[in-house]
C-alpha cells in the first residue's frame, strides 16, 4: 500500500509585503526542493474553513483532518491539555493560557511575555501557580486544578470538580486594553467565572513579586506577571482518524495544541529532539524521522510552527529564513522516503506579517506522487497556485484527496 506525508506550514500564507518588494515570503524564499515537487505535481488554493473565515489553528487542523469544526470543535483548551500530556476526564474544563506582561492597572503590554521564556523562568512560573495560587483557590471553591507551561509563552490550566466550560476569556486578544473579566455564559458557570477572576488577581499578586521578575527588570525586560486564559472547553470523543480513513496515522508536532489534536484523533505521536515549535527547530531531524516513520505508518503528519510565530512578530525576513530551512528538511526527506510516497503541502491559515494575526485568505495547496496530474505551476506560493489543477478546494477535502490516492476510501454508492 502507498503512504503519504502531509506537511502544514502554520500561518505561512501571506500578502504582498513592501519590505519584500511587493512579494510574499513564499515568493521570496529560495526553496528549490519544494518548488521541484510543485513542478512535478499539481497545485491549487484552499479555503481552510470557508472563504473569508479567519481560522484558529485548532479549527483549521480539525477541518484539514476531515472533521467539520462547526460540528466537532470542543474549544481549544482540551487539545492543549492533551498535547501537554495531561489526562482529561469528560467533566474537566481546560483553558489555553498565555503568560503575559501587564501594568499595575492590568492593562496588557505584551500578550506573550516576550514569547521566548527561559526554562528556569518556566519552572518558577509553574511552581508559583501550582503551589501558591491554586491551593488558595481550592480551599475556597473545592476545585482541584493543575497548571503547566508548554512551549514559549503557551500553557494550559485544567480545572477538576464542579466546573463549567461556559465562561468567557480573560485574554483580551489585544494589547493596550485591560485583562478581561471572566463572565458566566450559562447559569451553571457562575462559580467557575468567580474562580477564574480570583485566579487572575492572585496570579498577578504572586508573579509580580517573583525573584525571576526582579532579574528581568534589571535586564530591561518586561515582567511576566499575568496568565491569560482562553478557549475553555471539555473533551469530546472523536471517531479515530484510523477508522475514518482506514489508515495508520502518526504525528510529528512541537506545540501542545497540535499534538493534542493528534492525540484526540488517535494519531501516534512521534517525538523529535530539538523540535518543540520554536524558531530553532531542527527541521532536518523532523523530516528524517518522518521518512523513517513511513516504514511503519501509512500516513505521517508534520507540523511546522515558526512560520506562524514569525508572522505574529511581523518578521518577514525571519519567515523567509524559516521557509528556506524547511526546504532543507524536505531535501533530506526525499533522500530517505519510501519510493511509493505521496507528498501534500499546505497551510492551516494565512498570517500576513503586515497584519500579525490570522486572516481568512486562501492558502496554497500542493500534491505530488505517483499518478498525480501535473500542471503548469512551478512555485509554491499564493499567486502561482491560483493557476493549478486543483483550482479551489476546502480544508475538509484534504483527507479525502489523500485517502483517494492511498486507495483507502469506500466507494460512494454502487
Amino acid at each position: 500500500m502507498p503512504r503519504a506525508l502531509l506537511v502544514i506550514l502554520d500561518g505561512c500564507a501571506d500578502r504582498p509585503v513592501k519590505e519584500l518588494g511587493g512579494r510574499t515570503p513564499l515568493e521570496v524564499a529560495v526553496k528549490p526542493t519544494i518548488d521541484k515537487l510543485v513542478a512535478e505535481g499539481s497545485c491549487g488554493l484552499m479555503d481552510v474553513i470557508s472563504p473569508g473565515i479567519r481560522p484558529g489553528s485548532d479549527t483549521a487542523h480539525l477541518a484539514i483532518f476531515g472533521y467539520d469544526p462547526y460540528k466537532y470543535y470542543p474549544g481549544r483548551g482540551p487539545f492543549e491539555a492533551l498535547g501537554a500530556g495531561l489526562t482529561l476526564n469528560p467533566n474537566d474544563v481546560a483553558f489555553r493560557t498565555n503568560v503575559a506582561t501587564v501594568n499595575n492597572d492590568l492593562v496588557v503590554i505584551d500578550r506573550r511575555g516576550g514569547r521566548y521564556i527561559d526554562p528556569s523562568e518556566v519552572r518558577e512560573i509553574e511552581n508559583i501557580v501550582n503551589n501558591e495560587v491554586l491551593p488558595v483557590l481550592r480551599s475556597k471553591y473545592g476545585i482541584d486544578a493543575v497548571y503547566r507551561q508548554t512551549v514559549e509563552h503557551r500553557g494550559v490550566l485544567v480545572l477538576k470538580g464542579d466546573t463549567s466550560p461556559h465562561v468567557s476569556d480573560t485574554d483580551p486578544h489585544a494589547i493596550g486594553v485591560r485583562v478581561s473579566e471572566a463572565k458566566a455564559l450559562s447559569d451553571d458557570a457562575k462559580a467557575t467565572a468567580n474562580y477564574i477572576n480570583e485566579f487572575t488577581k492572585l496570579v498577578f499578586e504572586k508573579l509580580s513579586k517573583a525573584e525571576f521578575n526582579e532579574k528581568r527588570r534589571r535586564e530591561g525586560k518586561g515582567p511576566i506577571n499575568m496568565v491569560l486564559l482562553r478557549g475553555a472547553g471539555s473533551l469530546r470523543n472523536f471517531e479515530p482518524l484510523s477508522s475514518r480513513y482506514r489508515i495508520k496515522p502518526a504525528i510529528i508536532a512541537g506545540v501542545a495544541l497540535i499534538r493534542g489534536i493528534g492525540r484526540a484523533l488517535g494519531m501516534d505521536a512521534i517525538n523529535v529532539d530539538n523540535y518543540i515549535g520554536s524558531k530553532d527547530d531542527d527541521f532536518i531531524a523532523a523530516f528524517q524521522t518522518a521518512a523513517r516513520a513511513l516504514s511503519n505508518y501509512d500516513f505521517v503528519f508534520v507540523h511546522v510552527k515558526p512560520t506562524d510565530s514569525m508572522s505574529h512578530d511581523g518578521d518577514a525576513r525571519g519567515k523567509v529564513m524559516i521557509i528556506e530551512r524547511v526546504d532543507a528538511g524536505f531535501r533530506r526527506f526525499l533522500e530517505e522516503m519510501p519510493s511509493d510516497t505521496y507528498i501534500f503541502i499546505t497551510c492551516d491559515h494565512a498570517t500576513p506579517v503586515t497584519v500579525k494575526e490570522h486572516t481568512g485568505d486562501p492558502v496554497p495547496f500542493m500534491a505530488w506522487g505517483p499518478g498525480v496530474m501535473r500542471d503548469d505551476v512551478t512555485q509554491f506560493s499564493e499567486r502561482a497556485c491560483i493557476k493549478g489543477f486543483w483550482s479551489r478546494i476546502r480544508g475538509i477535502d484534504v483527507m479525502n484527496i489523500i485517502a483517494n490516492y492511498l486507495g483507502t476510501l469506500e466507494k460512494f454508492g454502487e
Side-chain angles (χ1 to χ4, degrees):
M1 174 180 160
R3 70 266 346 251
L5 172 78
L6 170 63
V7 177
I8 291 183
L9 306 174
D10 200 313
C12 195
D14 216 300
R15 295 175 180 175
V17 182
K18 184 177 181 180
E19 176 189 351
L20 301 179
R23 295 178 293 170
T24 71
L26 277 171
E27 290 174 322
V28 169
V30 178
K31 50 186 194 313
T33 306
I34 294 175
D35 287 343
K36 180 176 183 295
L37 293 172
V38 166
E40 296 174 356
S42 53
C43 295
L45 290 182
M46 179 173 75
D47 295 299
V48 183
I49 306 294
S50 188
I53 298 298
R54 297 173 55 211
S57 291
D58 42 16
T59 54
H61 279 78
L62 275 182
I64 291 170
F65 288 136
Y67 299 80
D68 182 349
Y70 290 108
K71 178 179 178 181
Y72 290 100
Y73 183 50
R76 182 165 184 150
F79 294 140
E80 293 279 355
L82 289 176
L86 299 175
T87 299
L88 292 182
N89 295 316
N91 293 327
D92 294 346
V93 175
F95 296 81
R96 155 70 193 272
T97 70
N98 276 20
V99 293
T101 300
V102 300
N103 67 16
N104 289 334
D105 295 321
L106 301 190
V107 173
V108 178
I109 307 303
D110 184 343
R111 284 185 64 244
R112 301 178 178 90
R115 187 184 290 280
Y116 305 107
I117 314 300
D118 185 89
S120 64
E121 296 175 337
V122 168
R123 289 191 293 272
E124 193 164 354
I125 294 167
E126 286 185 334
N127 179 61
I128 290 170
V129 175
N130 284 312
N131 296 317
E132 298 183 32
V133 174
L134 298 184
V136 174
L137 296 173
R138 185 186 187 283
S139 66
K140 182 173 181 178
Y141 291 92
I143 295 173
D144 288 322
V146 61
Y147 173 79
R148 185 171 295 179
Q149 285 286 119
T150 54
V151 177
E152 296 175 345
H153 58 285
R154 307 174 188 91
V156 61
L157 176 71
V158 177
L159 308 185
K160 297 175 177 288
D162 187 12
T163 58
S164 169
H166 304 126
V167 294
S168 61
D169 299 349
T170 64
D171 184 350
H173 301 271
I175 61 173
V177 295
R178 200 173 189 276
V179 176
S180 300
E181 179 183 356
K183 298 185 183 302
L185 305 178
S186 63
D187 289 340
D188 66 344
K190 292 177 181 178
T192 306
N194 291 337
Y195 178 103
I196 293 305
N197 289 325
E198 195 157 345
F199 172 88
T200 295
K201 295 174 184 176
L202 280 172
V203 163
F204 176 70
E205 175 188 327
K206 299 296 184 181
L207 287 182
S208 294
K209 299 174 183 177
E211 290 184 12
F212 77 91
N213 272 326
E214 294 301 322
K215 181 174 181 289
R216 287 178 68 91
R217 291 184 184 98
R218 288 195 300 270
E219 294 173 348
K221 299 177 182 177
I224 296 173
N225 55 4
M226 181 52 65
V227 176
L228 303 173
L229 308 182
R230 58 186 169 116
S234 295
L235 189 63
R236 60 166 298 154
N237 291 323
F238 291 87
E239 178 188 0
L241 204 70
S242 56
S243 60
R244 176 171 283 209
Y245 295 102
R246 300 163 72 189
I247 55 175
K248 184 180 179 183
I251 181 171
I252 296 173
V255 293
L257 170 65
I258 309 304
R259 285 200 310 272
I261 293 173
R263 186 177 170 190
L265 302 184
M267 303 170 72
D268 289 345
I270 300 175
N271 293 323
V272 178
D273 290 340
N274 301 316
Y275 198 75
I276 62 172
S278 79
K279 63 180 180 180
D280 298 320
D281 277 353
D282 187 342
F283 298 114
I284 289 178
F287 280 95
Q288 278 184 309
T289 302
R292 295 165 187 163
L294 283 170
S295 298
N296 299 311
Y297 294 92
D298 308 316
F299 173 80
V300 174
F301 166 67
V302 175
H303 177 257
V304 174
K305 176 61 183 176
T307 39
D308 186 57
S309 301
M310 293 294 116
S311 301
H312 283 294
D313 290 343
D315 186 352
R317 296 292 179 185
K319 190 170 183 177
V320 169
M321 177 194 68
I322 295 295
I323 294 168
E324 292 177 347
R325 288 176 49 216
V326 170
D327 191 79
F330 262 110
R331 184 165 63 249
R332 187 62 60 89
F333 177 84
L334 292 180
E335 293 170 356
E336 301 189 23
M337 71 176 188
S339 59
D340 56 350
T341 299
Y342 288 89
I343 297 174
F344 302 86
I345 309 171
T346 190
C347 314
D348 58 342
H349 52 77
T351 309
V353 295
T354 53
V355 180
K356 300 183 183 179
E357 288 294 343
H358 300 190
T359 64
D361 302 20
V363 304
F365 169 82
M366 187 222 76
W368 176 93
V372 171
M373 187 70 71
R374 187 169 180 169
D375 59 27
D376 296 328
V377 181
T378 58
Q379 182 189 56
F380 187 71
S381 70
E382 303 83 354
R383 267 184 280 234
C385 287
I386 293 172
K387 306 170 186 176
F389 168 81
W390 292 102
S391 186
R392 198 147 171 169
I393 63 172
R394 305 168 301 166
I396 206 166
D397 297 325
V398 170
M399 284 305 302
N400 286 333
I401 291 171
I402 293 173
N404 176 55
Y405 282 111
L406 297 184
T408 63
L409 285 182
E410 292 278 2
K411 184 169 63 173
F412 180 45
E414 292 297 325

